[in-house]
Amino acid sequence: MSQSIDLINLDTLAQELATIQQTGSKRIALLGSRHVPITHQSLIEMMTYALVLSGNRIITSGATGTNSAAIRGAMRADANLLTVILPQSLERQPNESRHQLEQVMHLVENPSNDHLSLGEASYLCNKEIVSRCQQLICFAFHDSRTLLQTCGEAEEQRKVVTLFYFD
């Protein structure tokens, strides 16, 4: 039994090392809480800007806070390297997000989830985002259930996960 655990750990380490060493572009999912101070949003925007300038593709959702900051950073660097996947249709998004989202070239709506609660739709959206990425960067609070569940599922899929806590 310990041999199989050692093999899983070695496989995981090998995959993480390969992702870290990869010099070409990566598909990086960037997700996080809506409730983020402006100073943190500025840092997220700058980090996303740098990631896109380095040739990485960013995949995020359309919520305010973390995701909105990621969208701003990616749009400043190269709007073509940004994909935004919405949990529901554009019409279901808050007014403060809609103007920004209308500027996104690669916008994926999920109107089939309009009948779901935002929490349920966000969970499904996060699953889709993780399925499209090689690496997940997440900004959360310790009680951010949906985001933490998404990080756990990404780890189970052997994605490289970087989790930052606001608290």
Side-chain angles (χ1 to χ4, degrees):
M1 177 95 129
S2 71
Q3 270 187 325
S4 64
I5 292 172
D6 290 342
L7 290 176
I8 291 171
N9 290 337
L10 286 176
D11 288 346
T12 302
L13 289 173
Q15 183 175 1
E16 288 183 7
L17 182 60
T19 301
I20 292 167
Q21 291 179 326
Q22 182 179 352
T23 56
S25 68
K26 290 180 247 179
R27 291 179 316 278
I28 300 174
L30 209 149
L31 297 172
S33 177
R34 292 172 175 78
H35 311 288
V36 183
I38 297 295
T39 54
H40 290 74
Q41 288 183 40
S42 294
L43 291 171
I44 293 165
E45 182 177 339
M46 284 189 289
M47 180 190 71
T48 307
Y49 178 76
L51 287 168
V52 172
L53 282 181
S54 301
N56 295 293
R57 298 185 160 280
I58 300 297
I59 308 164
T60 191
S61 190
T64 57
T66 300
N67 300 343
S68 181
I71 293 169
R72 284 192 305 275
M75 295 280 284
R76 267 193 323 136
D78 185 345
N80 196 45
L81 295 179
L82 170 68
T83 299
V84 176
I85 301 174
L86 300 178
Q88 297 171 320
S89 63
L90 182 60
E91 291 76 35
R92 296 288 308 254
Q93 304 310 302
N95 287 332
E96 64 267 21
S97 300
R98 238 183 262 163
H99 177 70
Q100 180 186 46
L101 295 170
E102 289 169 349
Q103 310 305 313
V104 174
M105 281 192 269
H106 306 288
L107 182 68
V108 178
E109 296 181 61
N110 281 298
S112 61
N113 294 340
D114 282 356
H115 70 285
L116 300 174
S117 71
L118 180 58
E120 292 169 318
S122 294
Y123 170 74
L124 294 173
C125 179
N126 289 353
K127 282 183 72 148
E128 181 178 351
I129 290 170
V130 167
S131 75
R132 295 183 181 207
C133 77
Q134 295 167 288
Q135 181 174 356
L136 170 63
I137 300 172
C138 187
F139 296 87
F141 292 94
H142 281 87
D143 63 352
S144 302
R145 280 194 319 260
T146 301
L147 290 170
L148 297 178
Q149 184 177 8
T150 298
C151 289
E153 290 174 2
E155 287 173 341
E156 288 173 7
Q157 295 175 38
R158 298 193 178 181
K159 309 279 181 166
V160 175
V161 176
T162 305
L163 176 57
F164 295 98
Y165 287 101
F166 290 121
D167 57 354

